[in-house]
Amino acid sequence: MTSVSTRSSAAPIRIGGQPGYLYLILGGEKYESLAGMWEEGSLLRKRRIHLLVTFLSIGMAGLVIFFLLTRRLRRMVDAMHAFEVGNYASRAPVKPADEIGQLGKAFNDMATRVESTLDEMRRSDQLRRELVANVSHDLRSPLMAILTSASALA
């Protein structure tokens, strides 16, 4: 048999003319130890620390997962920035066949078409320059002959 120490208080009362006593239990060992834990705050402190550690762990895990998931997108953005500043040979990495891989393949196809269009424009510009040089030379020779003949006549 275990003994439990309690503090109690009793007061005489009358209910409906009948005498009686009102007993109030002010505390016991269980209540005092629990109250002591709350008064010291150790249980609350431990729970706060545990909660803080849990939130920090979840936050760190979330950041690592976010970093790993967005790594391929960052590489693709870097390739696009390089292409934007004139590095037309820049291509996005395409490994898996998921949506990000499809986006990288579409960018690479577009970059190839842009690069070939620029090459065609350069060739067309070179041909235009050669044509203008040839036409101006061909027109200059007869004009010089006419001008020379006209100055000799005058």
Side-chain angles (χ1 to χ4, degrees):
M1 183 164 146
T2 61
S3 82
V4 175
S5 74
T6 60
R7 287 184 282 156
S8 61
S9 178
I13 60 168
R14 287 193 166 282
I15 299 177
Q18 299 282 344
Y21 289 95
L22 175 65
Y23 286 97
L24 295 174
I25 298 176
L26 301 175
E29 285 181 24
K30 289 182 181 179
Y31 299 111
E32 287 177 11
S33 66
L34 184 60
M37 286 176 62
W38 282 105
E39 285 176 5
E40 292 174 15
S42 65
L43 181 62
L44 185 60
R45 247 189 325 270
K46 287 178 185 176
R47 288 184 186 227
R48 283 182 185 161
I49 290 171
H50 179 69
L51 190 61
L52 180 66
V53 167
T54 301
F55 281 140
L56 287 176
S57 300
I58 290 171
M60 292 298 290
L63 286 175
V64 168
I65 290 170
F66 180 77
F67 177 78
L68 292 174
L69 289 176
T70 60
R71 179 178 48 195
R72 289 175 49 210
L73 288 174
R74 284 191 308 276
R75 288 181 185 159
M76 194 174 306
V77 166
D78 291 342
M80 289 179 185
H81 283 302
F83 189 83
E84 181 182 23
V85 297
N87 181 5
Y88 298 116
S90 175
R91 296 294 186 264
V94 179
K95 297 225 171 148
D98 60 358
E99 290 84 2
I100 296 174
Q102 290 173 359
L103 180 64
K105 183 179 179 322
F107 170 76
N108 291 344
D109 292 344
M110 180 213 57
T112 302
R113 282 192 303 272
V114 167
E115 194 172 19
S116 66
T117 303
L118 285 173
D119 288 342
E120 286 178 32
M121 289 173 61
R122 286 185 192 115
R123 281 193 299 273
S124 295
D125 188 50
Q126 182 63 31
L127 289 173
R128 181 190 59 80
R129 289 174 192 252
E130 288 176 12
L131 178 66
V132 168
N134 289 337
V135 167
S136 66
H137 176 70
D138 290 343
L139 288 176
R140 199 175 301 143
S141 296
L143 285 175
M144 287 306 272
I146 293 171
L147 285 175
T148 307
S149 299
S151 64
L153 291 174

